[in-house]
Amino acid sequence: MAESAAATPTSADDDPAYREAVVDLLGAIAYGEISAFERLAEDAKLAPSLADKVDLATMASGELTKVHALHDRIRAFGADPFEAMVPFREPLDAFHLHTAPADWYEGLVKAYVGDGLANDFYREIAAYLDPETRDLVVSSMEEGTHATFVVDRVRAAIAEDARLGGRLALWGRRLMGEALTQAQRVAADRDALTALLAGGVDRPGLDLAAMGRMFTRLTERHMARMAELGLEA
Amino acid sequence: MAESAAATPTSADDDPAYREAVVDLLGAIAYGEISAFERLAEDAKLAPSLADKVDLATMASGELTKVHALHDRIRAFGADPFEAMVPFREPLDAFHLHTAPADWYEGLVKAYVGDGLANDFYREIAAYLDPETRDLVVSSMEEGTHATFVVDRVRAAIAEDARLGGRLALWGRRLMGEALTQAQRVAADRDALTALLAGGVDRPGLDLAAMGRMFTRLTERHMARMAELGLEA
């Protein structure tokens, strides 16, 4: 982490539009980790056992430990990390407000599906980043070993209660819908970030067809995760 | 951590009374970390700024990351970590229930004073442990760099508002009183743990005079911490 702080952003990208986009992206990811920490810590209260609580609290702590390296990288681009996070507070807080889990299992599905979706998106966008930022972004989203814990718990619960499976399948769709709503809002507000994907005069980006394919990949992976949990997407 | 899990508890201490005491101690510390995580994560909601929130959330995560090594060590003594924590849930939950901070500053003082007191006690008791457990216990309570953050915030706030200083001084006394109440309860319930301090037939321990001196040291260090915060103890 000290390394990222020390290093100067690389080569190609003295481009102010690029810097603005990257600072936006890192700010969004950092605030995403902070709010994920808060929600997971909150959801851990619903845990049916102390062991479950520790597992979810460990996921929460894992999110938070990634924040500092992201902040260091934002500083390396000459920006203030707390200012960089500001534009993303409202959409991310709104996402969490609209998707407050009603019980332990909704919390688990949200942790799994939400984390997975965010990670897929960041992995897609990583292709457009300078190598050092790309490494940081990719490393800050390693899924860790906790996914297994969620899958096991959810599968066991719906095996016992089929109605729960139906409810959680609807819940998964609602999470995806709400994520898209907020993502659209961010895209509309943050031109530099959108331009990073769309490309610029002298930088290749995604055309509309490519954007469509990216969206299809994200949806497919979401469906694969739902299937992994034993839920219909 | 993997190392502690693999190693067999050392030498002197196939003594079943010692094992029972150490498992108790590690269970108490581990549950203490989990409940500290929960409370700090909760108190972080009261943060006046996002930067403050990240600082307190980082303290929370720091507590939780220590849990797994403590659990590994409990397993190395042939015990189940979740069973080992059970006797300490009620007294620690009671402590937190009776000392729920009314605002951000009470939360900060609690984090600083509570953490410090627990650490001092564990450091005292560490002298009676086998070397490997001692190293683990001592390393799980390194105070980190966050103490400075608490001291700065509290000092700045009472410089602006003298009445706050008076209220927080009372609060510090209440924290100490509640900690002693719950510690006494644990001492009365957990014979093996108490015997670890008091010694046994063939193991030296503290006589009453030495216990008194230990108590004096803990009180003095508590007063030093209050002074550090700019508060009368």
Side-chain angles (χ1 to χ4, degrees), chain B:
Chain B
M1 300 182 195
E3 213 174 81
S4 349
T8 317
T10 39
S11 65
D13 306 297
D14 299 327
D15 178 1
Y18 176 76
R19 294 169 78 101
E20 196 184 334
V22 169
V23 167
D24 255 17
L25 178 69
L26 296 172
I29 299 177
Y31 189 70
E33 307 282 14
I34 294 167
S35 62
F37 166 85
E38 288 191 276
R39 304 318 306 174
L40 290 169
E42 185 71 23
D43 297 348
K45 291 182 193 164
L46 302 167
S49 77
L50 191 51
D52 287 322
K53 179 180 283 188
V54 171
D55 281 336
L56 211 62
T58 302
M59 284 181 81
S61 298
E63 300 288 344
L64 201 88
T65 53
K66 302 167 187 170
V67 169
H68 298 281
L70 293 163
H71 281 184
D72 286 343
R73 188 73 187 147
I74 291 172
R75 286 191 196 96
F77 277 103
D80 177 86
F82 289 95
E83 280 171 29
M85 296 193 293
V86 168
F88 306 100
R89 287 190 76 162
E90 217 180 291
L92 276 158
D93 288 355
F95 173 76
H96 288 297
L97 190 68
H98 298 162
T99 58
D103 66 14
W104 168 246
Y105 292 104
E106 290 192 1
L108 285 186
V109 170
K110 181 175 168 180
Y112 186 71
V113 160
D115 219 45
L117 193 58
N119 287 352
D120 283 346
F121 174 70
Y122 297 145
R123 227 175 264 122
E124 291 278 351
I125 212 173
Y128 303 92
L129 300 173
D130 62 278
E132 198 178 340
T133 306
R134 180 166 59 232
D135 290 349
L136 174 65
V137 167
V138 169
S139 77
S140 64
M141 64 195 45
E142 277 163 329
E143 295 193 12
T145 52
H146 297 284
T148 323
F149 137 77
V150 173
V151 171
D152 291 349
R153 293 296 192 291
V154 173
R155 282 189 163 270
I158 61 179
E160 279 191 16
D161 177 1
R163 278 187 316 172
L164 179 66
R167 176 157 66 83
L168 293 178
L170 282 175
W171 173 245
R173 261 169 265 167
R174 191 160 131 219
L175 290 169
M176 184 63 164
E178 189 64 36
L180 290 175
T181 305
Q182 299 303 334
Q184 233 163 358
R185 193 171 151 189
V186 167
D189 280 357
R190 308 302 296 174
D191 291 340
L193 192 53
T194 316
L196 180 66
L197 275 176
V201 181
D202 54 1
R203 202 179 52 241
L206 295 171
D207 58 18
L208 270 183
M211 289 258 200
R213 285 193 296 273
M214 183 182 96
F215 180 75
T216 306
R217 283 194 297 276
L218 292 176
T219 311
E220 282 169 358
R221 287 199 207 107
H222 169 71
M223 290 169 65
R225 264 188 301 272
M226 293 293 282
E228 189 69 25
L229 292 169
L231 301 172
E232 286 185 34

